[in-house]
Amino acid sequence: MSYIIAENLFKEYGNGDSIVAAISNINFKIASGEFVGVMGESGAGKSTLLSIMGAMNSPTSGGYIVGDIDVYALSQEQQADFRREFLGFVFQSYHLVSYLTVLENVLLPLTTVKAGRKKKQAMAKEALASMGLDGKFHRLPNQISGGEKERVAIARAIVNDPPVLLADEPTGNLDTKTTHEVMELFQRINKEGMTIIMVTHSAECAEYTQRILRICDGRLLEEDKSVKKVSAQGFKKPPETKAA
Amino acid sequence: MTLKEIAFKNLMRRKGKAAFVLSGLIIGVATVVTIISFVDAMTNDINHKLEKYGANILIVPRTDSLTLTYGGLSLGGVSFEMQEIRQSELAGIHSIKNARNIAAVGPMVLGGVKINDNRVLLAGVDFKAAGILKPWWKVRGGFPDEQGILLGAEAARIIGLGVGQTITVNNRPLKISGVLEPTGSQDDQLVFARLETVQTLLNKEGKVSMVEVAALCTACPIGDMVKQISKVLPAAKVMAIQQVVKGRMETLTQFRKFSYGISAVVILIGGLVVLVTLMGSVRERTEEIGIFRAIGFRKGHVMRIVFLEAGILSGLAGILGYLLGIGGAHVGLRLFSGSSTPTIPIDIEMFFGAILMAIVVGLVASAYPAFMAARLDPNDALRSL
């Protein structure tokens, strides 16, 4: 059964004669627990699509449904609640808050959640531990490596256990070895039941996904089945990694 | 992690900017506290000095005719033949609602007498009350006892007698105990003796011609006091010496208005400092606000962070501004009042008022930056990076 449904999504920018269509007539369905890659050239409309899926950018027309929720029928404040409860974000440039420690960054999505301080701390520490960041709770973002920042960003995205994780070029700033480590983390999270939609340029990263939505000039091409070579556990084994 | 902690940590990170906002507000609050404390202290000082001007309420017999000028003031109903006020009724003055504001009550009995062929006005006074009512009196010699008399400077010159000599008034010898230094008032023309002595000499036992009351103080409702005294002395006419009271009030009112005007301008500037600095801060924090919004912070949460930052700084500015302001007022008083021991008490109301004022200014000034921050589109904020 489809968990995410995009129907006839259009997004245009500008007005009058200067209207530019960022995406046109996008239709897809994603089942709960899928790991889907979104690929395409620069300017193809990947990020626009991801921002629409992230409840941060209203489509000009079309529908976007997650679970039973028509996301863009919600008010702006309800969309914020939706993002908090249903979505986790991993950005290309981490977007960690520089003056907060690693632990505090991961606690951020829980700030407005009604739960006890101890419970929130436990959730954040568990998320960080699952990313192998024990012992780095109290470091600032500028005191850890790029790979660690990425893992902090992932921990922040999954700390409140959202059903959907959206990742925008999550390995764009990482070396090959760290890229594969991060992709393995994504695989593990996905295996635990989280739906992941990842925008990527990297064919290597795309190999970790179960299927690819390929976008060209704002339009969705035929789904590429070539990467659906899953292992016995449901995922393709990662390729050999190169030393950093 | 709470919104308060986020606000606090951001302030700690941007210490320079926080210090700038803090300084702006501290200067504003300190200036207002200095001005108000200074004005209050000056008001007290002026009141204290004005109290030394003496009586400011006069009680005279009610009459339809005859006036006498006394002390440059036109008094009604002072006449030798007319009905006088009963001295026993004066006790009622101390039972009025604002009795605690009365500094002194000085009954006076007046009558014309002949001394050495000169017709003079003899005044019987309570010399103890006169010390408060007429603080400018300087006496060569001393105040008289029951058998003594005190001459005004001009009266002494015309009569041609001095301290130690004896004069006869209505067949009663009275020794001149002292002579007043010139006062420039009607007192120079008069001769004074004890109230009881004059009452006996003039056959006016238990009667007084007029009463002077000193009731000047910061919160004295002179008008109310006049009404209260009128009630207890229905046969008398009670008047406020309006010139003194009105003059004092006008001066203080203008002084206060001016200081409040200055305060308002300073506070406005402080508010603008907060506004401009926080606007810059919001612009610098586009990414951060974008992240907050992307991970599910509502607009209200973002606004609360900005308000909390402004609130923390404002509260601190209120405390520090108050302390600095009190210090400034001390220095100002030393410089301008000429008093070596200026007194500005720690005023709890003003302390909390300063904090409240700082917080209100900080929050009002941060409203627009907070609104701008909340309006930031998370997608635009993150895409623009």
Side-chain angles (χ1 to χ4, degrees):
Chain A
M1 185 181 167
S2 302
Y3 186 65
I4 298 171
I5 302 170
E7 287 180 327
N8 304 320
L9 283 178
F10 282 83
K11 180 66 186 180
E12 293 169 344
Y13 293 108
N15 49 37
D17 294 336
S18 60
I19 287 180
V20 176
I23 56 170
S24 302
N25 196 29
I26 298 276
N27 291 279
F28 61 81
K29 290 178 180 176
I30 296 171
S32 178
E34 268 197 287
F35 188 174
V36 177
V38 179
M39 294 189 78
E41 299 297 318
S42 291
K46 305 184 299 293
S47 293
T48 298
L49 180 60
L50 198 73
S51 65
I52 290 173
M53 294 175 79
M56 291 194 290
N57 192 8
S58 297
T60 307
S61 65
Y64 174 60
I65 292 163
V66 176
D68 292 328
I69 300 167
D70 183 351
V71 174
Y72 288 100
L74 301 173
S75 68
Q76 285 201 348
E77 294 298 71
Q78 286 173 326
Q79 284 175 19
D81 296 341
F82 172 80
R83 287 194 293 271
R84 184 171 63 244
E85 290 167 26
F86 283 79
L87 305 178
F89 285 94
V90 178
F91 306 99
Q92 181 178 357
S93 47
Y94 324 122
H95 287 328
L96 300 178
V97 179
S98 61
Y99 57 89
L100 299 181
T101 63
V102 163
L103 181 63
E104 288 165 342
N105 264 286
V106 177
L107 278 165
L108 269 181
L110 303 174
T111 304
T112 55
V113 172
K114 281 182 183 168
R117 197 180 182 86
K118 281 185 181 172
K119 188 183 175 189
K120 288 180 183 179
Q121 291 265 342
M123 287 168 75
K125 284 179 180 174
E126 189 188 332
L128 281 167
S130 73
M131 295 293 122
L133 288 166
D134 280 317
K136 301 200 172 172
F137 295 165
H138 302 294
R139 295 207 184 167
L140 289 169
N142 63 5
Q143 294 169 330
I144 56 177
S145 68
E148 287 170 331
K149 283 179 192 168
E150 190 65 47
R151 281 186 278 159
V152 174
I154 297 169
R156 185 178 65 187
I158 63 167
V159 67
N160 54 347
D161 198 22
V164 180
L165 179 68
L166 301 175
D168 188 4
E169 302 275 8
T171 58
N173 294 326
L174 302 177
D175 59 50
T176 311
K177 183 180 174 226
T178 313
T179 295
H180 289 302
E181 284 172 3
V182 168
M183 291 318 299
E184 281 169 20
L185 285 172
F186 274 121
Q187 269 196 341
R188 198 183 77 206
I189 294 163
N190 176 245
K191 203 173 167 183
E192 288 164 2
M194 198 175 284
T195 306
I196 300 177
I197 297 141
M198 178 179 73
V199 168
T200 182
H201 270 109
S202 160
E204 282 191 353
C205 290
E207 286 185 15
Y208 285 84
T209 65
Q210 293 167 327
R211 65 185 171 112
I212 297 288
L213 299 175
R214 204 172 288 278
I215 296 179
C216 182
D217 294 333
R219 292 179 183 278
L220 188 64
L221 303 179
E222 287 291 311
E223 287 193 24
D224 188 344
K225 309 291 183 187
S226 63
V227 294
K228 291 192 72 177
K229 294 180 280 182
V230 292
S231 67
Q233 288 77 34
F235 295 99
K236 183 185 181 302
K237 284 182 180 171
E240 287 293 313
T241 57
K242 294 173 190 171
Chain B
M1 201 68 197
T2 61
L3 297 177
K4 216 184 298 173
E5 286 168 334
I6 293 172
F8 185 73
K9 281 184 172 271
N10 181 53
L11 289 177
M12 294 309 289
R13 177 184 57 143
R14 298 166 192 269
K15 289 191 185 81
K17 277 204 163 56
F20 186 65
V21 172
L22 196 62
S23 306
L25 280 172
I26 285 176
I27 290 169
V29 173
T31 307
V32 173
V33 170
T34 300
I35 288 174
I36 291 176
S37 300
F38 186 73
V39 168
D40 282 349
M42 290 299 284
T43 302
N44 289 336
D45 194 41
I46 289 169
N47 278 333
H48 184 67
K49 284 171 183 166
L50 282 171
E51 277 171 15
K52 291 182 181 173
Y53 288 180
N56 59 342
I57 294 177
L58 287 177
I59 304 167
V60 295
R62 194 177 287 281
T63 180
D64 295 328
S65 60
L66 293 174
T67 59
L68 179 70
T69 298
Y70 177 80
L73 301 169
S74 180
L75 311 176
V78 180
S79 159
F80 316 133
E81 292 79 19
M82 66 177 295
Q83 188 181 356
E84 267 118 354
I85 301 165
R86 288 180 183 281
Q87 194 176 350
S88 56
E89 291 173 356
L90 299 184
I93 295 173
H94 294 287
S95 65
I96 65 168
K97 190 180 163 192
N98 286 97
R100 63 191 172 84
N101 292 331
I102 295 172
V105 176
M108 186 184 281
V109 63
L110 298 165
V113 291
K114 241 184 174 182
I115 300 173
N116 291 358
D117 296 330
N118 293 296
R119 191 154 171 78
V120 296
L121 192 57
L122 173 64
V125 297
D126 175 348
F127 286 101
K128 199 176 166 191
I132 298 169
L133 293 161
K134 300 172 189 296
W136 54 86
W137 271 11
K138 282 181 184 166
V139 181
R140 265 186 286 127
F143 285 118
D145 56 15
E146 290 99 3
Q147 305 303 322
I149 195 163
L150 175 74
L151 304 184
E154 193 63 13
R157 187 185 67 79
I158 290 169
I159 296 167
L161 296 172
V163 178
Q165 292 181 291
T166 302
I167 55 173
T168 304
V169 180
N170 288 358
N171 302 319
R172 181 170 168 180
L174 296 170
K175 191 177 177 189
I176 300 170
S177 64
V179 176
L180 281 179
E181 297 275 353
T183 62
S185 72
Q186 179 115 10
D187 293 347
D188 294 346
Q189 318 282 331
L190 269 59
V191 293
F192 301 90
R194 283 202 174 190
L195 182 66
E196 311 80 51
T197 307
V198 178
Q199 282 172 331
T200 308
L201 282 169
L202 301 176
N203 293 321
K204 291 182 179 179
E205 283 89 351
K207 294 173 184 174
V208 295
S209 308
M210 59 183 287
V211 184
E212 293 176 321
V213 178
L216 263 177
C217 65
T218 317
C220 280
I222 296 295
D224 291 352
M225 289 179 71
V226 165
K227 282 181 192 166
Q228 291 164 12
I229 295 173
S230 295
K231 262 191 184 173
V232 296
L233 297 175
K237 185 176 176 184
V238 185
M239 301 175 294
I241 301 178
Q242 298 291 333
Q243 298 96 313
V244 175
V245 179
K246 281 189 176 170
R248 179 191 70 162
M249 296 315 289
E250 272 174 27
T251 306
L252 293 182
T253 303
Q254 283 171 1
F255 200 22
R256 269 185 195 283
K257 278 182 185 170
F258 175 71
S259 64
Y260 290 156
I262 296 277
S263 302
V265 171
V266 172
I267 282 294
L268 185 69
I269 293 168
L272 284 174
V273 168
V274 176
L275 174 72
V276 171
T277 313
L278 286 184
M279 277 303 291
S281 174
V282 165
R283 282 195 199 99
E284 283 175 17
R285 294 164 69 189
T286 304
E287 175 191 2
E288 185 185 314
I289 292 165
I291 296 167
F292 291 158
R293 295 283 284 133
I295 63 175
F297 278 40
R298 285 180 160 217
K299 288 180 179 178
H301 296 134
V302 174
M303 287 183 83
R304 233 187 293 169
I305 291 172
V306 178
F307 280 135
L308 278 166
E309 288 174 15
I312 291 168
L313 287 178
S314 305
L316 194 58
I319 295 168
L320 297 176
Y322 174 79
L323 296 174
L324 191 65
I326 288 293
H330 269 282
V331 173
L333 267 188
R334 275 185 191 279
L335 289 175
F336 300 114
S337 81
S339 171
S340 57
T341 54
T343 51
I344 296 178
I346 298 293
D347 183 345
I348 293 296
E349 271 180 35
M350 191 185 282
F351 175 69
F352 286 110
I355 294 173
L356 186 68
M357 178 183 68
I359 290 175
V360 168
V361 170
L363 293 185
V364 168
S366 61
Y368 184 64
F371 177 68
M372 291 299 289
R375 267 187 54 187
L376 270 177
D377 185 290
N379 189 45
D380 290 344
L382 295 173
R383 197 174 51 190
S384 66
L385 300 167

